[in-house]
Amino acid sequence: MKRQGDVMARRAGLVELAEAAGVSLSTVDRCLNGREQVSATARARILAAAVRLGHPAALRLGVSTPATLPEVRFGVVLHKQGQEFYKAFADELKRAVAQLQGVRGRLVLEFAASQAPSEMAGMLRSMAGRCDVLAATAVNHPEVTSAVEYLKSQNLRVFSLLSDFGQGLRAGYLGLNNLKVGRTAGWITSLAAKGPGKVLLYVGGHRFHGHELRETGFRSYLREMAPQIEVLETVVNLETRALTYETTLAALNRHADLRGVFVTGGGMEGAIAALRGARAPGEVVLCVSELTPDSRAGLVEGLVTMVTATPLEKLCSELFQHMVTTVQQEGQVPDIGQIFLAPNLHFPESI
């Protein structure tokens, strides 16, 4: 025989569920016990409320509550927490984890303060035991590769993001086709340049595989299709706006025929500021990466010619799908290779 306290507790739980669903207690009772037909709308509202509350009624309706779902700890290591792009990236990661179905996702997010391979390698190693699967933006360096190899030996698979690293050891790459990004920048530069002359090219560092590919694509396109445009010696800007500003301003003063600037990674704010004070809008072609408040303003002013942006929502959605599969199959999933996402291209007239 059921005790009176158990019955009262069950009734109280159903009252709470009915209130949350916005239906009567009798409707909840009919839905759970199948005594009479309940409309699809009412059933959906009751189910949504049960899942939201973690109410055991969700199980009776065929859906697992958050408390009963398996937890997956998603480790992610990004660069430069203060940059607008990485802020947007972090926000999208949090949204994507919250929207996951079938698991309780927990995001373990860390930021590297510098590009130093030793720092990134140390941060990757420190994630062992703190997450079930890992993804990172990192330079392509032997120290980083060694860290990925170590983590793989600990059954912690690593995905590379935006710029590839640890090839042959990592679980896969997700990002843009950086060679094509460089060729596209070369193409738009050749179309928009005001006659023959020189162009300036920035990379964040020589160990960023993605930046190297963008440089290769840019140079190869101009060499083949626009030989009248000379690409100056590549400048390492460490993805900082101050260094980019100073070197761009110096190049503008030194080369009267400077026709373009291509910033393959971060630091574009410095190039925009330098052009704003030294050249008229459209006089120098400027190609940059990622749509931020600064690059958007540059497009509106006519200072920025093209922005190549990563579709973060798509990237995060695909990333977590592959991460979940890797965890569920206990790391035995084969390397997914390189997954290239179509970039979002922005021009002054598209803003």
Side-chain angles (χ1 to χ4, degrees), residues 2 9 27 30 59 121 131 156 161-162 185-186 192 207 247 289 308 329 337 345 349:
K2 292 184 179 179
T27 300
R30 292 198 307 273
L59 290 174
C131 60
L156 180 59
L161 304 175
L162 307 184
R207 286 292 185 171
T247 51
S289 300
T308 305
Q329 298 189 20
L345 300 180
E349 295 304 318

Side-chain angles (χ1 to χ4, degrees), residues 53-184:
L53 295 173
H55 196 284
L59 290 174
R60 296 177 63 179
L61 295 172
V63 175
S64 298
T65 63
T68 65
L69 295 174
E71 182 184 65
V72 178
R73 299 170 298 169
F74 300 101
V76 180
V77 181
L78 302 178
H79 280 91
K80 300 194 175 182
Q81 186 174 8
Q83 287 190 355
E84 291 295 332
F85 169 69
Y86 285 110
K87 289 179 183 178
F89 200 168
D91 289 341
E92 193 56 52
L93 286 167
K94 294 171 185 175
R95 278 193 290 269
V97 166
Q99 294 171 2
L100 279 174
Q101 301 294 318
V103 299
R104 283 183 296 130
R106 181 158 68 87
L107 182 63
V108 183
L109 180 61
E110 298 286 351
F111 290 89
S114 72
Q115 299 177 6
S118 57
E119 180 189 1
M120 177 56 69
M123 292 190 71
L124 293 178
R125 289 174 181 270
S126 73
M127 298 297 277
R130 300 173 57 199
C131 60
D132 302 305
V133 62
L134 180 60
T137 58
V139 293
N140 190 36
H141 187 276
E143 287 188 66
V144 174
T145 302
S146 177
V148 175
E149 185 175 22
Y150 165 75
L151 293 174
K152 185 176 182 180
S153 72
Q154 301 300 305
N155 296 317
L156 180 59
R157 300 308 307 275
V158 181
F159 289 86
S160 61
L161 304 175
L162 307 184
S163 182
D164 207 358
F165 62 87
Q167 294 180 352
L169 295 167
R170 48 88 168 128
Y173 164 80
L174 292 93
L176 303 182
N177 184 326
N178 289 301
L179 188 67
K180 287 187 176 181
V181 170
R183 291 190 64 85
T184 303

Side-chain angles (χ1 to χ4, degrees), residues 194-199 230 251-252 254-260 279:
K194 307 294 186 181
K198 301 177 178 64
V199 294
E230 176 191 352
L252 289 167
R254 187 179 308 115
H255 304 289
D257 63 342
L258 189 71
R259 304 302 185 197
R279 292 288 190 275

Side-chain angles (χ1 to χ4, degrees), residues 185-208:
W187 170 73
I188 200 68
T189 298
S190 70
L191 291 179
K194 307 294 186 181
K198 301 177 178 64
V199 294
L200 184 62
L201 187 149
Y202 288 102
V203 296
H206 290 307
R207 286 292 185 171
F208 274 119

